[in-house]
Amino acid sequence: MSLPHAILTALLEKPSSGLELTRRFDRSIGYFWSATHQQIYRELGKLEKAGLIRALPADSPTRGQRKEYEVLPSGRAELERWVEGRDEPRDPRDPLLLRLRATGVVGVGDGLISELRRHRELHAARLAEYREFQQRDAARGHGTERDRVHGLVLQGGIDLELFWVNWLDKAIDGLDRPEPAEQACGPTT
Amino acid sequence: MSLPHAILTALLEKPSSGLELTRRFDRSIGYFWSATHQQIYRELGKLEKAGLIRALPADSPTRGQRKEYEVLPSGRAELERWVEGRDEPRDPRDPLLLRLRATGVVGVGDGLISELRRHRELHAARLAEYREFQQRDAARGHGTERDRVHGLVLQGGIDLELFWVNWLDKAIDGLDRPEPAEQACGPTT
DNA sequence: CTTCATTGTGCAACTTGTTGCATAATGAAG
DNA sequence: CTTCATTATGCAACAAGTTGCACAATGAAG
């Protein structure tokens, strides 16, 4: 039940068309809640039918025509209600942890190790990207509440990527050398 | 495509019935990949039909009767294949981050702050639980590869909960006091 | 002015995950 | 021996998310 609210948030930040939303989901919001354009179009349709958003009057109402949406008061109310509610934490559901665990019974192979390395690099890249955002935001100053909230969310993204990079390093190291002995040699990379 | 492989892993660790699997999912594996009993039964049926597992011969094949499964060679092969493959990292998809972000446009309310606190405590509790597991495992020594792998996975769980607790502390603190000024007063808790 | 790539919108089918309920065996209480 | 709670298995309907494709407008190349 999060996608519609993610869309309401995005539309409140700036009225947009379906494809625009899709692009914005690829950036900021999508970093912790991705969505395909099909999901977004479908959800826009539902939200419009539910009277939470409306399409801005356009020239022609035909298909393949750009259609911009804005949030109606009832949509904002619904978002406020949802934000103030309660909701249990979800479990991580990351297949990589499962795959690592499976090596406990089928044995560790090279494929998984290189996969761990690959993921490490992907997370490191994303971490670098987030840190650029952070620096850019810090330069522009952050007076408004919205800026501070975005800063906290971004910090969450950074900390999460940090977790991944650090843990993957531990895991790669732990699988590479079977014995946790006191070999003081440097890393193989 | 992870649930069937999670089940194969669990069954290789120990042949079990549907309900037993459900219970084991509530513990170890379920901490990063939960599943309801219905999902598990359905998946067991599919795996059996696909010839990856088989039911151990039991007294009566009727309904409501305990039915234990074990993994067949083809099932183990499938698991090995899956472990060695590649797979992109998923995004976190946590509604709490979305909700926080939404406060950027609808404003911060008390509901969300207490929700952040509540989640902080839940994550802290889980963290404590994991650390108990870790101490217990350390006491029993960890010679086999499987023990080391489980240790790494558990470490992942611990680090992830640590991330949540620390980040939620930051977020609660950042929302409580609008200005990031140098007030040196202690925490309100 | 036709062909073709690009941008944008959308349907339909499928897979995955959730919820609610039905059924069967079992053993204990009345 | 009937009633009832418990344990265990499972169906069916739904909700959420993914994939593949179709269709419409637009503008540039031939």
Side-chain angles (χ1 to χ4, degrees):
Chain A
M1 302 302 301
S2 297
L3 182 57
H5 301 98
I7 290 177
L8 287 173
T9 303
L11 284 182
L12 277 170
E13 286 175 0
K14 181 179 179 310
S16 311
S17 70
L19 197 61
E20 237 177 299
L21 277 179
T22 307
R23 297 239 166 89
R24 289 172 58 202
F25 266 72
D26 283 344
R27 291 182 282 116
S28 56
I29 291 187
Y31 285 138
F32 47 90
W33 200 285
S34 67
T36 62
H37 76 275
Q38 288 85 349
Q39 272 180 282
I40 287 172
Y41 282 123
R42 199 199 318 185
E43 209 58 48
L44 282 172
K46 281 191 202 169
L47 287 169
E48 187 177 22
K49 199 155 56 182
L52 302 183
I53 63 174
R54 67 160 189 178
L56 291 180
D59 322 324
S60 49
T62 66
R63 183 183 172 134
Q65 195 78 357
R66 183 193 162 76
K67 204 167 157 192
E68 199 158 56
Y69 291 93
E70 71 173 1
V71 179
L72 294 171
S74 58
R76 171 180 279 265
E78 166 56 26
L79 187 61
E80 280 166 6
R81 191 200 59 72
W82 177 72
V83 164
E84 290 296 300
R86 70 160 42 195
D87 189 11
E88 298 318 305
R90 330 192 86 199
D91 37 36
R93 263 189 207 283
D94 194 290
L96 195 58
L97 281 155
L98 267 189
R99 291 212 271 161
L100 178 57
R101 166 119 191 184
T103 63
V105 288
V106 302
V108 183
D110 290 343
L112 185 76
I113 303 238
S114 68
E115 182 75 346
L116 293 176
R117 284 193 217 281
R118 194 171 68 86
H119 279 235
R120 197 218 103 102
E121 294 316 316
L122 289 171
H123 286 293
R126 183 163 273 195
L127 175 60
E129 191 184 6
Y130 287 0
R131 281 187 161 145
E132 272 176 41
F133 293 167
Q134 200 176 41
Q135 280 196 303
R136 190 198 56 199
D137 292 353
R140 290 197 330 220
H142 35 53
T144 71
E145 186 178 59
R146 183 186 298 190
D147 289 335
R148 280 186 302 111
V149 165
H150 283 197
L152 287 172
V153 172
L154 183 55
Q155 187 67 52
I158 289 175
D159 290 352
L160 194 52
E161 297 303 330
L162 266 176
F163 149 73
W164 277 112
V165 170
N166 290 144
W167 176 73
L168 284 167
D169 279 340
K170 284 185 210 175
I172 292 162
D173 196 54
L175 292 182
D176 258 351
R177 51 174 107 179
E179 297 309 307
E182 61 277 61
Q183 317 171 228
C185 53
T188 50
T189 324
Chain B
M1 301 304 300
S2 298
L3 182 57
H5 300 98
I7 290 177
L8 287 173
T9 304
L11 284 182
L12 278 170
E13 286 175 0
K14 181 179 178 312
S16 311
S17 69
L19 197 61
E20 236 177 300
L21 277 179
T22 307
R23 297 237 167 90
R24 289 171 58 203
F25 266 72
D26 283 344
R27 292 183 280 117
S28 55
I29 291 188
Y31 285 138
F32 47 91
W33 200 284
S34 67
T36 62
H37 77 273
Q38 289 86 349
Q39 272 180 282
I40 287 172
Y41 282 123
R42 197 198 321 183
E43 209 59 46
L44 283 172
K46 281 191 200 169
L47 287 169
E48 187 177 23
K49 198 154 59 181
L52 302 184
I53 64 175
R54 67 161 189 178
L56 291 179
D59 322 323
S60 50
T62 66
R63 183 183 172 132
Q65 194 78 357
R66 183 191 161 76
K67 203 167 157 192
E68 199 157 57
Y69 291 93
E70 71 174 0
V71 179
L72 294 172
S74 59
R76 172 180 278 267
E78 165 57 26
L79 187 61
E80 281 166 5
R81 191 200 59 71
W82 178 71
V83 165
E84 290 296 300
R86 72 161 39 196
D87 189 10
E88 298 318 306
R90 328 192 87 199
D91 37 36
R93 260 188 208 287
D94 195 289
L96 196 59
L97 280 156
L98 268 188
R99 291 211 272 161
L100 178 57
R101 167 118 191 183
T103 61
V105 288
V106 301
V108 183
D110 290 342
L112 186 75
I113 304 237
S114 68
E115 183 75 346
L116 292 176
R117 285 193 218 280
R118 193 171 69 87
H119 278 235
R120 198 219 103 105
E121 294 316 316
L122 288 171
H123 286 293
R126 183 163 272 193
L127 175 59
E129 192 184 6
Y130 287 0
R131 281 188 161 143
E132 272 177 41
F133 292 167
Q134 200 177 39
Q135 280 196 302
R136 190 197 56 198
D137 292 353
R140 291 198 329 221
H142 34 54
T144 71
E145 186 178 58
R146 183 185 300 190
D147 289 334
R148 278 186 304 108
V149 165
H150 282 198
L152 286 172
V153 172
L154 183 55
Q155 186 67 53
I158 289 174
D159 290 353
L160 193 52
E161 296 304 331
L162 267 175
F163 149 72
W164 278 112
V165 170
N166 290 144
W167 176 73
L168 283 167
D169 280 339
K170 283 186 212 176
I172 292 162
D173 195 56
L175 292 182
D176 257 352
R177 51 174 108 178
E179 296 309 307
E182 60 277 66
Q183 316 173 225
C185 53
T188 50
T189 324

